[in-house]
Amino acid sequence: MTILLGLESSCDDTAAAVVRHVEGQAPEILSSVVAGQAELHAAFGGVVPEIAARAHAEKMDHCVEQALAEAGLALRDCDAVAVTAGPGLIGGVLSGVMCAKGLALGAGLPLVGVNHLAGHALTPRLTDMVAFPYLMLLVSGGHCQFLLVRCATDFTRLGGTIDDAPGEAFDKTARLLGLSQPGGPAVEAAAQSADPSAVNFPRPLLDRPGMDMSFSGLKTALLRERDAVVTLHGGLPEQRRADLCAGFQQAVRDVLVEKSRRAIAAYLDLAPADPVFAVAGGVAANGAIREGLQALCAGTGTRFLAPPLRLCTDNAAMIAWAGIERLRLGLTDGMDLAARPRWPLDTAAAPQLGSGKRGAKA
Ligand code: KG4
Ligand code: ZN
């Protein structure tokens, strides 16, 4: 039996969790505490790194105490302390790493540094005990990439966005149309009562081979369409706004579905015994996008897996779990564990031109 305490502080969620795993059985999340900071950053229209770092330093102790209390355990009952060591906003990552070092040193426990993206990518094994290799689409406000997960330490990046992440595009769209933040749910709700073909948006990079994507042109197109509507109507009528939302959402969906089709084909070439396509990240909550991906999987004999939203978005249970996977492989870190603002999962892949300009949140 292995029990890990996990810590996460790479963006604007301070989180601590305890996960227990008995070999051959389903892992158990004994507790998962997430303290968000949305109210601290709301006035600034984005995450302010310095404010985030201070808040992490203040909140982490409480989150750890609460996570242990909810699990009914003491720190010495844990086998190790896992912590996000990057990528992310450096002040936040540092405060998590320092806290984890203190806890590990004080309790005489091993320390395990975890890549935040590996936490997301390994979540299907925490929730559904999925076997390697599987395909993952990580699609959030800061990231968009296809990962071939071969084992707990081997991730191949098949492709991803070369500019904005889709969540970022949803958020900007909401801002341009006067809708609330976060933009994804607001745009999805507005799109419900509209015709997705009323406004035709571009589908960037669909005409090119490969699995790379681009979403920054979509917001420029949206701005143009919005201005045309405003000029025509002297304002933005409710129905026209809904049509813009529906058209935009449809374009994102079409790009994600077509690129996923190619990624699944590349993955199926490996002839996995039980093919699985998993999604993670806030955008995976979008009903239309989910439906499109689900239908695509059904047509290719691939199991579609979407972990519950609380485990798709930033949390520490995924860090504790990734820590368990590393510990099992004998991978621990010393007190020299470094906090890394940038830390690509696939070091062999070509450097990305840009992904998630909004920040380092993954
Ligand atoms: O994974 P997440 O919580 O944090 C980041 O890593 O960014 O994802 C948040 C992003 C935001 O950009 C938000 O607008 C988007 O996910 N999002 C959605 C939906 N719910 C959240 N995008 C589209 N449709 C949704 N229903
Ligand atoms: Zn994340």
Side-chain angles (χ1 to χ4, degrees), residues 110-307:
L111 177 69
V112 186
V114 168
N115 181 309
H116 178 86
L117 299 172
H120 280 301
L122 294 170
T123 297
R125 290 172 56 75
L126 167 64
T127 55
D128 294 82
M129 297 175 75
V130 170
F132 298 119
Y134 58 91
L135 179 66
M136 153 135 300
L137 169 61
L138 182 55
V139 61
S140 69
H143 273 265
C144 181
Q145 52 183 317
F146 292 107
L147 290 167
L148 198 53
V149 188
R150 297 175 192 271
C151 77
T153 55
D154 186 349
F155 307 86
T156 305
R157 188 178 178 281
L158 297 178
T161 183
I162 57 166
D163 42 53
D164 292 356
E168 195 176 0
F170 268 98
D171 294 342
K172 284 178 182 164
T173 293
R175 224 167 276 137
L176 290 171
L177 298 179
L179 296 168
S180 59
Q181 294 292 318
V187 170
E188 182 176 14
Q192 227 107 60
S193 59
D195 173 10
S197 58
V199 192
N200 196 25
F201 284 96
R203 268 71 171 157
L205 297 190
L206 272 200
D207 52 341
R208 303 235 197 110
M211 286 151 258
D212 279 343
M213 294 168 269
S214 163
F215 296 98
S216 66
L218 269 177
K219 71 173 185 269
T220 316
L222 183 105
L223 186 61
R224 219 175 22 240
E225 296 288 351
R226 182 203 67 177
D227 289 350
V229 170
V230 170
T231 307
L232 190 65
H233 297 274
L236 193 57
E238 204 61 35
Q239 192 55 45
R240 294 284 83 77
R241 173 158 59 188
D243 288 343
L244 288 170
C245 288
F248 165 83
Q249 180 173 277
Q250 189 69 20
V252 175
R253 170 192 151 127
D254 285 355
V255 171
L256 287 173
V257 168
E258 176 52 30
K259 296 291 176 165
S260 297
R261 183 192 312 283
R262 300 177 195 179
I264 288 173
Y267 163 59
L268 290 179
D269 279 348
L270 300 178
D274 174 20
V276 171
F277 177 53
V279 287
V283 180
N286 185 285
I289 292 172
R290 232 173 148 110
E291 241 168 54
L293 296 175
Q294 215 151 9
L296 169 69
C297 284
T300 61
T302 305
R303 183 148 61 103
F304 178 75
L305 216 131

Side-chain angles (χ1 to χ4, degrees), residues 8 10 116-117 120 138 140 143 281 312-315 318 361-362:
E8 154 64 34
S10 63
H116 178 86
L117 299 172
H120 280 301
L138 182 55
S140 69
H143 273 265
C312 274
T313 54
D314 287 353
N315 66 89
M318 69 177 189
K361 180 161 184 171

